[in-house]
Amino acid sequence: MLDKVLSTLKADHDAALAELFEFMKFQSVSADPAHGGDVRRCAEWLAALLTRDGFTASVEETGGHPAVVARWQKAPDAPTVLVYGHYDVQPALMEDGWTTDPFEPQLNEGRICGRGASDDKGQLFCHIAGLRAHLRAVGKLPVNVIMLFEGEEESGSDNLEGYLVAKRSELACDAVIASDTAQYTGGRAALTYGLRGLTYLEVTLTGPNRDLHSGTLGGVIANPATALARMVGLLVDESGRVNVPGFYDDVTPLEQWERDAWAKLDYDEAALAAELGVTDLFGEPGYTAVERMWARPTLDVNGIWSGYTGEGAKTVIPAVAGAKLSCRLVPDQEPDKIAELVERRLRLSCPPGLKMEVKHLHGAKPVLLPSEGKFVDCAKAAVGAAWGEDPVFIREGGSIPVIETFVRVLDAPVVLMGFGRPDDRIHGPDERFHLEDFHRGMEASARFW
Ligand code: BES
Ligand code: ZN
């Protein structure tokens, strides 16, 4: 039976790629209100595709961008698995440095290129293809399936928790599977058992009621740009450790078994530096790069602005300065608590005469997931067969806010089966997904069921 499913899947490769291209053409950028219509049209397209493929699908209102839910629940006595993915994408403009139009997907040198190729349209499509191969080959699925594809992951999944709580009983399941992570370096099969969390702040410093001449008035008031640079600079020390009182209080230290296991992964730090085009890696002392990426918290400036940045010189004291800051969090740090601590530290160093405003943008809790159990075993076998090698168990530095909500609200084990690669350039220009990974991902999905 599996042979028949896999040969049906293979015969579907080209059609699946063409449909993925259609899917990627929607500019479903959740962060930008101007793309609200595109997000909704993408959801409608996805629901129509899933209906055609034999699922009971609908576009579901969440209060924000809609989610798509599709079901096939005709296997009494078999477990129910919820498949999670997101059809929204990060913004992408040609001027960000794309070589081809981000929303005109194409195949270049064995890679699917375009926004969402890997994060997460290509990966979620692997499950659609893997599931429908069963329906097409044998007319049924071996398990019950609920697909939940959301439209707000890239902007923090603000409305999904409310939806999950309201629909808890309709979404009851024995396990959740999500493919929105990556393989280990170099295309090595991996399952992910930990994600970092996130807390995101925007700080604005306002000084005089207008930009001033820096000669006539320089020296009599605090300069918002100078102050902000200093305040932000103080948040991380020269060694790379976060310098916010209380920041590390709730950090669960790395376990020795993890450090040993990760050391065996033999991560090539020099290769990473070379790939990133830097002469040296840098970060908190006492930890390897992998440990810092997967299991240590950070504080980063994501953007900073003030004053004159055009050609030549303009002698001005800017009226306003602003910065976007975010922290990646590890168990058991709490996003709200960390945001408070950072805000307090900033306030302490804000000079007199400046007004400081802080907005708390989104947060996500860190998670650690089981690395054993029935569903993990299935994922291990499925990925192992599709990749031709046993997967390694890794953690990831990125965040998927709803994963922690699944654990808490649905009380189900979550398996993260990532088909992307660390160098897929997600969120950046020229995002891509290897065609080979698309094929292997579809196969792993089909085998998992
Ligand atoms: N797919 C990523 C998360 C990810 C990235 C997992 C790399 C593993 C490796 C996800 O779509 C994402 O980008 N999440 C955001 C969440 C945020 C906007 C709340 C992130 O991590 O920045
Ligand atoms: Zn993303």
Side-chain angles (χ1 to χ4, degrees):
M1 197 153 86
L2 182 63
D3 286 348
K4 201 166 165 211
V5 171
L6 293 178
S7 60
T8 304
L9 182 66
K10 248 203 182 110
D12 185 42
H13 272 176
D14 291 344
L17 183 64
E19 280 164 339
L20 173 58
F21 279 6
E22 253 189 86
F23 188 23
M24 287 169 60
K25 286 186 183 181
F26 290 94
Q27 303 197 24
S28 49
V29 178
S30 58
D32 183 353
H35 284 297
D38 296 312
V39 176
R40 185 165 291 269
R41 279 187 285 281
C42 187
E44 281 161 1
W45 178 90
L46 191 56
L49 177 105
L50 290 163
T51 304
R52 189 209 63 193
D53 284 343
F55 299 90
T56 308
S58 55
V59 173
E60 296 280 307
E61 298 309 324
T62 62
H65 296 299
V68 174
V69 173
R71 298 169 180 272
W72 190 96
Q73 291 173 287
K74 301 177 196 168
D77 309 324
T80 298
V81 178
L82 187 145
V83 188
Y84 166 82
H86 64 91
Y87 69 86
D88 66 319
V89 297
Q90 287 277 329
L93 299 169
M94 270 318 268
E95 55 261 41
D96 298 336
W98 286 77
T99 24
T100 58
D101 187 328
F103 296 103
E104 287 300 335
Q106 41 192 279
L107 196 61
N108 286 331
E109 295 172 2
R111 295 170 179 137
I112 300 163
C113 302
R115 179 54 92 224
S118 174
D119 184 11
D120 177 42
K121 287 174 171 170
Q123 294 200 58
L124 83 74
F125 211 88
C126 290
H127 289 297
I128 296 177
L131 283 163
R132 75 185 180 193
H134 283 264
L135 291 179
R136 286 176 184 175
V138 295
K140 60 186 169 85
L141 297 178
V143 293
N144 299 295
V145 169
I146 306 170
M147 287 179 251
L148 169 63
F149 299 136
E150 73 155 313
E152 294 192 311
E153 196 274 345
E154 298 293 5
S155 43
S157 297
D158 288 341
N159 297 288
L160 198 60
E161 174 155 349
Y163 179 81
L164 289 181
V165 170
K167 305 276 172 169
R168 179 186 266 148
S169 54
E170 290 160 50
L171 296 172
C173 59
D174 300 285
V176 175
I177 174 165
S179 296
D180 188 25
T181 49
Q183 307 164 52
Y184 182 62
T185 318
R188 188 145 165 220
L191 295 175
T192 297
Y193 67 93
L195 294 170
R196 287 197 292 190
L198 181 75
T199 196
Y200 205 112
L201 304 170
E202 182 171 328
V203 50
T204 314
L205 283 189
T206 311
N209 55 13
R210 60 187 188 277
D211 286 0
L212 305 177
H213 190 289
S214 68
T216 52
L217 287 159
V220 298
I221 54 157
N223 177 321
T226 315
L228 186 66
R230 190 169 144 276
M231 288 159 64
V232 164
L234 284 172
L235 298 174
V236 181
D237 74 15
E238 296 94 340
S239 79
R241 251 181 95 82
V242 178
N243 190 22
V244 171
F247 184 82
Y248 290 98
D249 284 2
D250 300 325
V251 171
T252 306
L254 259 162
E255 305 254 1
Q256 194 54 46
W257 70 264
E258 283 187 299
R259 300 192 88 166
D260 294 344
W262 297 356
K264 290 204 193 85
L265 291 175
D266 224 1
Y267 191 84
D268 190 340
E269 298 196 6
L272 176 63
E275 198 255 320
L276 300 179
V278 295
T279 53
D280 293 284
L281 298 181
F282 175 77
E284 190 187 6
Y287 296 94
T288 65
V290 157
E291 290 169 347
R292 300 201 300 270
M293 289 189 286
W294 296 352
R296 296 297 299 170
T298 58
L299 186 150
D300 276 294
V301 177
N302 302 111
I304 188 160
W305 60 92
S306 185
Y308 181 70
T309 55
E311 274 299 309
K314 183 183 182 195
T315 48
V316 72
I317 296 176
V320 187
K324 289 182 191 273
L325 310 171
S326 64
C327 298
R328 292 290 166 172
L329 310 176
V330 302
D332 290 310
Q333 289 177 300
E334 281 286 335
D336 292 342
K337 179 175 169 191
I338 296 297
E340 286 301 325
L341 294 175
V342 174
E343 180 173 349
R344 192 179 308 166
R345 182 69 194 87
L346 286 166
R347 224 169 263 294
L348 273 177
S349 50
C350 182
L354 296 183
K355 185 169 90 191
M356 179 180 119
E357 283 166 303
V358 175
K359 271 198 271 187
H360 293 200
L361 305 180
H362 45 242
K365 291 186 183 165
V367 279
L368 272 180
L369 303 165
S371 47
E372 359 190 271
K374 183 162 83 174
F375 295 97
V376 174
D377 289 345
C378 293
K380 211 156 113 181
V383 169
W387 261 256
E389 61 176 352
D390 280 341
V392 289
F393 281 81
I394 62 173
R395 283 162 72 169
E396 279 280 12
S399 312
I400 307 174
V402 74
I403 300 301
E404 187 274 340
T405 319
F406 284 138
V407 175
R408 184 162 35 84
V409 175
L410 300 182
D411 191 25
V414 182
V415 181
L416 301 178
M417 193 197 251
F419 305 139
R421 293 197 196 187
D423 63 357
D424 279 345
R425 305 184 179 168
I426 62 172
H427 294 205
D430 291 343
E431 177 177 350
R432 59 203 193 179
F433 188 34
H434 290 252
L435 186 64
E436 183 191 17
D437 294 336
F438 185 45
H439 291 165
R440 297 193 287 202
M442 293 190 280
E443 181 182 339
S445 173
R447 288 178 178 273
F448 178 78
W449 307 113

